[in-house]
Amino acid sequence: MASVPSTPVLGGALLEAGHLDEVQAFVAVAQCGSFTAAAGRLERNASTVSRRVAALEARLGVRLVARTTRRVALTEAGTSYLARMTAVLEEIAHADAEMAAHGDVPQGSLRISLPRAYGRLWVAPLLPVLMARYPTLRIQAHYADHFVDLVGEGYDVAVRLGKLADSTLVARKVAAVRRRMVASPAYLAKHGTPARPEDLLQHRCLGFAGFQRRSSWILRQGLERREIAVPLAMTSDDAETLVMAAAQGAGIAVATDWLLDKHPDRDRLLPVLPEWDVGEESAIHLVTPSVRFVPAKTRAFVELAMQALRRDPVVVPPTR
């Protein structure tokens, strides 16, 4: 197998020869697993990305990726080259971030990772505001309910829900999250209003598939905790679907305060056991890769989001 030639990290053959685009294309393909996905990240078409990777292989005289109809896989040389070039690009990114941090005007491309429902309801309205303030700023908003690799996938900032795992990322708490039980007046009139947690055993409950542990709900009131094995009449991995079903009388659903505050069916719901929170304590965070060199574009988004997304807990309407 041909060996990968030694390449100076900065200021050497890589930059002097103007081959940075080829390296960026290769790294994107390796990390994304396909030319199409890499093209989306780089805002290029797939044929351009493919040509750049082919040119890189020709220049190095070694095959870096094995192409198949569905995915690309790295060769042994490709794996070695990826590790070295990832370090090169990270060093360049840090240098760019350090310089950009000295600028006063947010500009360039801002890549944001957002959870689907919260991002659409709460963050999406802020993006036109940011664009109006800074006309040279370009925004790439990506929605996904799984945690993305900020550094590896090239994101500037992410909004994350729930408990954060230990990491080297910088997290800023935006707001606490409370989960409450709600149901429609028609459902409660027909089936009765629970007076204590154990009464839930006699009701139709609507459960979030990504939240409940089996069919148990953990209820908290101060230091008191109750675990209730509720009968689930419906489960979904989409919380908005459950709130809509509850509003139509399907049963008792658990919803976060931020979802209730924006959901169009909010006025058609009543609180159930309002003195009890459901699930473990949770929060909303803004997460960035580094605190040393924060570009002006990232600072602008973080400052706007911290101001706009902070709020008092939603007040659930009293039982009618």
Side-chain angles (χ1 to χ4, degrees):
M1 181 189 70
S3 62
V4 177
S6 175
T7 305
V9 174
L10 291 174
L14 174 63
L15 296 184
E16 289 178 1
H19 295 131
L20 185 58
D21 286 345
E22 296 173 2
V23 173
Q24 289 174 325
F26 164 70
V27 171
V29 169
Q31 292 177 343
C32 294
S34 76
F35 287 94
T36 301
R41 179 194 294 189
L42 297 173
E43 297 184 297
R44 298 288 187 272
N45 58 59
S47 60
T48 298
V49 174
S50 179
R51 286 196 302 271
R52 288 178 178 172
V53 173
L56 176 63
E57 291 177 320
R59 177 167 60 85
L60 297 177
V62 65
R63 191 179 186 187
L64 300 175
V65 298
R67 297 161 176 80
T68 66
T69 55
R70 290 188 176 183
R71 290 183 58 83
V72 297
L74 295 184
T75 63
E76 183 180 352
T79 300
S80 175
Y81 195 68
L82 174 65
R84 297 174 66 179
M85 289 302 101
T86 299
V88 170
L89 295 182
E90 287 180 356
E91 182 65 25
I92 293 173
H94 285 315
D96 286 349
E98 183 176 357
M99 294 301 101
H102 294 290
D104 294 329
V105 180
Q107 56 187 321
S109 179
L110 177 68
R111 284 173 55 82
I112 310 171
S113 173
L114 302 169
R116 294 186 184 280
Y118 183 85
R120 185 175 65 253
L121 293 173
W122 285 89
V123 184
L126 304 181
L127 303 184
V129 175
L130 199 64
M131 295 171 66
R133 290 182 184 178
Y134 309 107
T136 59
L137 182 65
R138 303 189 311 276
I139 295 177
Q140 298 180 45
H142 297 263
Y143 292 82
D145 286 330
H146 62 274
F147 281 9
V148 300
D149 179 357
L150 259 67
V151 176
E153 299 183 41
Y155 286 101
D156 298 293
V157 61
V159 176
R160 288 186 172 172
L161 308 179
K163 185 177 181 180
L164 295 180
D166 292 337
S167 74
T168 59
L169 302 177
V170 179
R172 299 167 178 84
K173 184 177 178 179
V174 175
V177 174
R178 304 182 71 181
R179 298 183 183 91
R180 298 297 182 89
M181 292 169 283
V182 292
S184 70
Y187 174 86
L188 296 176
K190 182 177 180 180
H191 298 279
T193 300
R196 56 196 183 100
E198 289 73 19
D199 293 343
L200 293 171
L201 297 172
Q202 309 304 319
H203 284 266
R204 295 168 59 84
C205 296
L206 316 177
F208 183 57
F211 167 60
Q212 276 78 20
R213 182 178 62 188
R214 298 175 185 171
S215 62
S216 294
W217 288 358
I218 305 295
L219 275 60
R220 296 184 295 110
Q221 182 182 31
L223 298 178
E224 185 177 1
R225 291 166 59 94
R226 303 271 189 90
E227 182 171 356
I228 308 297
V230 296
L232 292 177
M234 175 182 176
T235 61
S236 174
D237 60 359
D238 179 66
E240 292 179 272
T241 296
L242 299 176
V243 173
M244 180 178 65
Q248 295 178 4
I252 298 173
V254 172
T256 56
D257 52 357
W258 58 260
L259 178 56
L260 285 176
D261 202 33
K262 294 282 188 177
H263 201 282
D265 290 327
R266 178 174 182 265
D267 293 336
R268 301 169 59 192
L269 294 165
L270 294 176
V272 174
L273 299 172
E275 65 275 16
W276 292 87
D277 288 335
V278 184
E280 303 299 337
E281 295 183 8
S282 184
I284 302 163
H285 291 88
L286 292 177
V287 181
T288 55
S290 172
V291 74
R292 283 187 64 200
F293 305 118
V294 181
K297 60 183 180 180
T298 305
R299 292 200 309 269
F301 173 78
V302 168
E303 290 169 2
L304 175 62
M306 290 294 292
Q307 180 181 13
L309 301 180
R310 285 192 182 278
R311 71 193 190 287
D312 296 327
V314 64
V315 177
V316 183
T319 304
R320 291 193 286 268

